[in-house]
Amino acid sequence: MKQRLLFLGPPGAGKGTQAQRLAASHGLLHLSTGDLLRAEVQAGSDLGHQVEAVMASGELVSDDLVLAIVRSRLEHHNQGWLLDGFPRNLAQAEALDRLLAELDQRIERVVLLELDDGLLIQRLLSRGRSDDNEQVIRHRLEVYRQQTAPLIAHYRDLALLVSVDAAGSVEEIGERIKAVLLD
Ligand code: AP5
């Protein structure tokens, strides 16, 4: 199975849910920038204070902050990894390419989880995280369309992208993902 992966997709598509399962079953490092940033907020660190309001609004936090977090996790890790919620824009994707070249590693596959807006919103409203109210969800979807969706063409051009239908049960989607990581 491919070992160096990116999960891409709109908020609520199930990136975190599927990434956690796959990382646990295949011994990959699960690196979720959203989870790492939320942990900083929770801990009340300086970084947490810097990002809290931005996250609550649904905007992206600064590329430099996120890149520093990713670099610190990847530079001492030579095994498989799964990046979830990063990169989020073209500048982050290009910075990741540079970092990986430096570390002599490369992305093996990018999994795009696709789901209708109606289902995305329904899933997020029933979760109820602090940034899961309807107004902020709609803004996160807008930020996704403007800043993150251009990565679809970027990774398609690099022949790394595979799309997976993200509707259905967690188990069904997990099987679809494993199937596209085999060859
Ligand atoms: P982040 O934490 O990455 O949030 P997100 O992209 O909005 O993703 P979500 O966690 O909402 O969705 P998901 O696709 O992971 O779905 P999940 O599995 O959780 O980012 C949050 C914020 O942090 C950003 O807005 C930004 O401010 C900042 N940030 C993070 N990364 C950044 C970066 N790289 N650069 C700059 N800023 C960054 O599932 C959602 C819900 O659906 C759950 O309740 C789950 O249980 C449920 N669910 C999952 N699968 C199914 C299913 N098959 N059926 C029914 N329910 C399901």
Side-chain angles (χ1 to χ4, degrees), residues 151-167:
L151 297 181
I152 296 171
H154 175 75
Y155 288 118
R156 186 176 285 133
D157 290 349
L158 295 170
L160 290 171
L161 191 87
V162 284
S163 297
V164 168
D165 176 7

Side-chain angles (χ1 to χ4, degrees), residues 4-48:
R4 291 185 172 136
L5 312 171
L6 303 192
F7 274 15
L8 195 62
K15 303 180 295 296
T17 303
Q18 296 296 337
Q20 200 171 14
R21 283 166 54 92
L22 190 71
S25 62
H26 288 75
L28 308 176
L29 170 72
H30 174 202
L31 214 165
S32 158
T33 45
D35 286 351
L36 292 167
L37 291 166
R38 274 185 292 279
E40 296 288 341
V41 172
Q42 195 79 28
S45 68
D46 285 348
L47 173 60

Side-chain angles (χ1 to χ4, degrees), residues 32-149:
S32 158
T33 45
D35 286 351
L36 292 167
L37 291 166
R38 274 185 292 279
E40 296 288 341
V41 172
Q42 195 79 28
S45 68
D46 285 348
L47 173 60
H49 289 302
Q50 283 181 63
V51 300
E52 188 168 13
V54 180
M55 292 178 77
S57 73
E59 283 293 321
L60 298 182
V61 311
S62 89
D63 293 343
D64 289 349
L65 283 179
V66 177
L67 272 163
I69 290 178
V70 173
R71 170 181 279 278
S72 70
R73 300 301 195 286
L74 283 189
E75 68 190 349
H76 302 297
H77 189 86
N78 289 316
Q79 318 284 308
W81 37 254
L82 200 171
L83 303 186
D84 155 19
F86 174 89
R88 242 1 195 258
N89 56 32
L90 279 169
Q92 290 184 10
E94 285 163 7
L96 176 63
D97 287 345
R98 288 193 293 276
L99 172 63
L100 293 178
E102 203 183 295
L103 301 176
D104 199 21
Q105 299 190 23
R106 64 186 179 86
I107 301 163
E108 294 176 335
R109 197 136 296 176
V110 177
V111 178
L112 171 65
L113 293 176
E114 296 191 288
L115 193 65
D116 290 348
D117 279 8
L119 275 173
L120 296 172
I121 292 170
Q122 200 179 309
R123 281 187 189 173
L124 294 175
L125 286 176
S126 45
R127 176 174 63 184
R129 203 169 72 192
S130 59
D131 57 347
D132 284 340
N133 66 73
E134 188 152 357
Q135 193 187 349
V136 176
I137 292 170
R138 289 196 184 281
H139 188 59
R140 280 156 61 203
L141 283 170
E142 194 52 39
V143 169
Y144 172 78
R145 281 198 190 94
Q146 287 182 1
Q147 301 195 46
T148 311

